[in-house]
Amino acid sequence: MLSGRFSLLCLATTVLATPARLASGLHHRRHVSHESGLFARTFADVLPRNDCEPADPQDTVTDRLNTLLNSSGPGYTLPLCPSESYYITAPLQFAAHDQEISTVGYPEGDDRATLVVSGAITNGAGQTTAVMGQCADCDDIKLRHIQINGTRGNNGPINGGANIEMGGDNSGQLIEFVHSFDPRGWSCLHIAEGTFKCNNQTIQNNDIGPCGTDAFQQWADGISISCMNTVVRNNMVKNPTDGGIVIFGAPGTLVENNTIWIVDNTLLGGINMVDYDPWSGNYTNTIVRNNLIMGGFATSDEEPGDADGTNSEDVIIKIGIAIGPRTWFGNQYYQNVSTSGTVLNNQLTGAFGYAMAMSSARNFTVQGNTLTGNTSFIGRRGPNCTAGDTIPNAAGFIIDPSLVSLSTEQSGFMNVSDGDGLTCIQPPDGGDYWPFGGNPSNPGAASTSSPSPSSSSSSGISGGSKAGIAIGVILAVAAIAAATYFIRRWALARATASGTEPWRRSGYLGKGKQLS
């Protein structure tokens, strides 16, 4: 059974939400240079114009905003106007410690100001980043309550950074209540390691995605973490295509209470602990716990007695949680391993190739991870799988025991002899293989009961039924209001309960397996 917080979220989105298959691949990330109560709501229509920096004229907005950040010193807050779109042609650059970029009144949803990446693209190069927070004096900066539209659209990715580039040799940065989506580059949000001094960042309560497409090598991450002692919690990551949350070692990092789900794009990996660079595979004290990962679900109408149906886009998550570089890159990294991480009490539901895959790992603790709700395992050998390699059959939990040492794994893992390059699999081409269920984007998410026999045999609606529907609508509206109140109150309490908590993306140009 899904957790209480997810069930509550599904109830609200069930009433409000509107109801390319991946040509499987193995390459992942690209090298990046190391430069370097309820919320009070004040709506836009009652804000004096001089309380925020205007978006117009557009031809000067980038320079105006950057001049304010550069000239105003530590502690300055750049106030953006609610519901306004800022068409920027270069990144906004934090310039001093304790600065903040936020929307006036701290609204949520579409009331947040939107930074629109608008720089020209020439010969496959151009602006990819909206906000840069890696200056030499960028401790304790804050990015809050805004939206970032990377404007990739139907185009392929271009070289450059993520929508948001933070970290560097800084500590204490905060990113919260930010919606980052459609990046031109490789990730929606990246916290870089700098010269391995990045420390103690917090990424919480954000809604991330969609990120990239599932066309071959046009993927993008949701959240990419390479900074040690980072907290990544309470984020909703929708429709990433490369990794939902990718942890590049980042020793001491805590990844908890996040939800990752797909809608119409296949995702290579939900949570990835596969990168040897830049921390030489060091995941010491990195903990991944209590996250919810939701694979594909049937989009066809559920029929009484049926457990599975079709999915209009044939989407799956190839690996729900991936541990060890060989699961992703094959033998590219030879004897290199991921070491000393902890993976606890995560839940996985929906359609996967593998719920969890583990290979080339040492001193890992993997306990209490469960399949919940309806699941299916339906990946099949794809055209990019290396000829002659044995690809394990789709399954819940698989491990290559010859390449895993000094680790503690929960029961239920199936031993395989070749756990290499598993992202070469692809979903089946149609068929009744996807479990019925739902996620935050599926109107059927909150429905778990089968239709009553009378519902399929009645050709009309009686007066009593209409009255029942009316009462039901009233109750649903009341439930949504209650759900919204408690979700926001819960999020605020989680974000502020303990004040200050001690709690890099590098290159991932993996060749993976050879193309067959």
Side-chain angles (χ1 to χ4, degrees), residues 87-336:
Y87 290 82
I88 57 173
T89 56
L92 299 189
Q93 303 261 4
F94 282 99
H97 63 84
D98 291 286
Q99 288 188 339
E100 176 177 318
I101 300 175
S102 58
T103 304
V104 170
Y106 295 144
E108 301 172 50
D110 290 339
D111 292 333
R112 291 172 288 187
T114 302
L115 300 179
V116 182
V117 175
S118 302
I121 299 175
T122 304
N123 297 325
Q127 181 194 4
T128 61
T129 299
V131 177
M132 177 69 72
Q134 298 176 2
C135 70
D137 184 29
C138 274
D139 287 347
D140 301 309
I141 60 174
K142 301 173 181 64
L143 184 65
R144 311 175 68 192
H145 295 266
I146 69 167
Q147 302 186 93
I148 295 176
N149 181 356
T151 68
R152 182 196 291 196
N154 294 323
N155 301 309
I158 63 175
N159 292 328
N163 268 0
I164 302 167
E165 286 284 348
M166 302 282 273
D169 292 347
N170 296 290
S171 64
Q173 297 178 345
L174 172 67
I175 303 172
E176 65 176 1
F177 298 100
V178 171
H179 181 200
S180 175
F181 61 100
D182 201 24
R184 291 178 173 182
W186 67 280
S187 182
C188 276
L189 192 164
H190 175 217
I191 312 297
E193 73 282 357
T195 59
F196 299 95
K197 296 178 183 178
C198 184
N199 185 46
N200 195 33
Q201 319 288 41
T202 300
I203 304 168
Q204 62 186 14
N205 303 316
N206 302 290
D207 47 304
I208 304 297
C211 309
T213 72
D214 62 7
F216 186 71
Q217 293 189 341
Q218 296 192 10
W219 316 299
D221 291 347
I223 299 174
S224 310
I225 305 301
S226 189
C227 176
M228 62 184 173
N229 301 318
T230 294
V231 175
V232 184
R233 62 188 171 202
N234 306 334
N235 301 286
M236 303 292 288
V237 185
K238 172 184 177 182
N239 242 22
T241 50
D242 200 340
I245 299 176
V246 180
I247 311 165
F248 292 82
T253 288
L254 175 65
V255 177
E256 67 175 357
N257 297 332
N258 303 283
T259 298
I260 300 165
W261 79 101
I262 58 173
V263 179
D264 53 11
N265 279 298
T266 284
L267 171 60
L268 302 186
I271 297 178
N272 299 344
M273 306 176 78
V274 302
D275 285 273
Y276 185 77
D277 293 331
W279 288 92
S280 300
N282 182 8
Y283 288 85
T284 300
N285 295 325
T286 294
I287 300 172
V288 174
R289 69 187 183 195
N290 299 326
N291 300 284
L292 175 63
I293 303 174
M294 311 188 74
F297 288 97
T299 56
S300 57
D301 292 334
E302 185 173 356
E303 297 293 334
D306 286 349
D308 301 312
T310 61
N311 181 286
S312 58
E313 300 288 345
D314 297 342
V315 301
I316 63 171
I317 295 179
K318 294 191 176 187
I319 310 174
I321 300 176
I323 301 172
R326 293 185 75 110
T327 63
W328 204 277
F329 304 107
N331 64 2
Q332 177 188 350
Y333 289 106
Y334 301 102
Q335 301 306 311
N336 292 340

Side-chain angles (χ1 to χ4, degrees), residues 21 310-316 378-380 426-434:
R21 227 169 37 249
T310 61
N311 181 286
S312 58
E313 300 288 345
D314 297 342
V315 301
I316 63 171
I378 55 177
R380 62 189 175 94
Q426 64 184 29
D429 187 9
D432 292 336
Y433 305 124
W434 281 263

